Amino acid sequence: DIQMTQSPSSLSASVGDRVTITCRASQSISNYLNWYQQKPGKAPKLLIYGASSLQSGVPSKFSGSTSGTDFTLTISSLQPEDFATYYCQQSYSTPYSFGQGTKLEIK
Amino acid sequence: QVQLQESGPGLVKPSETLSLTCTVSGGSISSSYWSWIRQPPGKGLEWVGYIYASGSTNYNPSLKSRVTISVDTSKNQFSLKLSSVTAADTAMYYCARGPSGSYNYAFDIWGQGTMITVSS
């Protein structure tokens, strides 16, 4: 099974900041890496698929990149509505697996 | 647009079978994969399994011996049965569309979730 490791597990930032969340796969997953945003009491929402493709309707402040088995989600110019928990997920092979999540909090 | 809605009992007794249904509206259940994903309180996400409209399935090995996912195309619904439940199965259960080939096999549409508590 493929293990996904996210870092950091929590992150404090201020409105207007730019933040980066990293996800590492335990083996090569090509670009089969997706990012989700989850707000309290809500279902996860797909932000980025294929490591760097923005889901329709998602603001361009969200971006994704890859370097080998390391994947990065960058959020620029943080706004209050961006404070949430973010998950990465590999769709390379079953069983599909998620990172443990990164909780982004307001400083 | 496609929307998903889970329905279920809310409370299940230990050792019994959990049964959930996901109703797909705004589109056909055919020609897509459909998954169940769960999230214990305060914890991360776990993929349970998927079904294709044709009925083919793929389950997480960690749950495979207890899981059955089925589809009813006439009702535009798919269902989850999880047998011999314990407190460890207490979680929010989400249904989702995916793996979606158009989105690199991501889960692109999610239901709002239904909370299942296992307790006597």
Side-chain angles (χ1 to χ4, degrees):
Chain A
D1 296 2
I2 299 173
Q3 311 302 319
M4 306 302 296
T5 304
Q6 269 183 253
S7 59
S9 56
S10 64
L11 178 58
S12 288
S14 301
V15 172
D17 283 355
R18 176 177 179 269
V19 298
T20 297
I21 299 169
T22 299
C23 183
R24 174 170 291 175
S26 60
Q27 65 182 74
S28 174
I29 58 170
S30 186
N31 68 333
Y32 290 93
L33 190 283
N34 313 301
W35 290 99
Y36 301 84
Q37 176 193 65
Q38 186 178 34
K39 296 181 178 180
K42 300 294 187 182
K45 171 188 172 183
L46 178 63
L47 295 178
I48 288 174
Y49 61 93
S52 60
S53 297
L54 206 59
Q55 171 67 325
S56 175
V58 174
S60 59
K61 63 192 305 182
F62 294 92
S63 63
S65 62
T66 180
S67 177
T69 58
D70 289 349
F71 300 85
T72 299
L73 172 69
T74 300
I75 313 170
S76 61
S77 187
L78 281 171
Q79 296 302 305
E81 61 269 23
D82 300 327
F83 292 92
T85 300
Y86 293 85
Y87 293 93
C88 62
Q89 177 246 333
Q90 65 84 14
S91 52
Y92 181 78
S93 67
T94 60
Y96 301 123
S97 49
F98 294 83
Q100 78 276 21
T102 295
K103 187 173 184 179
L104 177 56
E105 299 174 304
I106 299 177
K107 184 182 291 183
Chain B
Q1 70 281 19
V2 174
Q3 293 184 309
L4 308 180
Q5 179 67 59
E6 304 90 347
S7 57
L11 181 65
V12 182
K13 290 182 168 56
S15 79
E16 294 189 343
T17 296
L18 177 166
S19 296
L20 300 176
T21 296
C22 182
T23 300
V24 179
S25 59
S28 173
I29 201 168
S30 301
S31 302
S32 290
Y33 287 85
W34 305 92
S35 284
W36 288 98
I37 296 161
R38 69 180 187 176
Q39 184 173 37
K43 296 189 177 181
L45 298 159
E46 178 182 34
W47 173 73
V48 174
Y50 70 61
I51 189 164
Y52 187 63
S54 65
S56 63
T57 56
N58 190 317
Y59 301 140
N60 192 322
S62 68
L63 298 167
K64 188 172 183 177
S65 63
R66 299 193 292 129
V67 170
T68 302
I69 299 177
S70 58
V71 64
D72 186 337
T73 54
S74 68
K75 294 182 178 179
N76 239 31
Q77 294 177 333
F78 63 105
S79 298
L80 168 70
K81 290 190 185 299
L82 182 65
S83 64
S84 305
V85 298
T86 70
D89 296 309
T90 293
M92 182 71 78
Y93 284 77
Y94 296 101
C95 59
R97 187 172 73 176
S100 297
S102 301
Y103 301 99
N104 241 56
Y105 305 105
F107 305 108
D108 66 315
I109 301 174
W110 296 61
Q112 65 185 25
T114 187
M115 184 66 201
I116 296 297
T117 301
V118 178
S119 175
S120 56

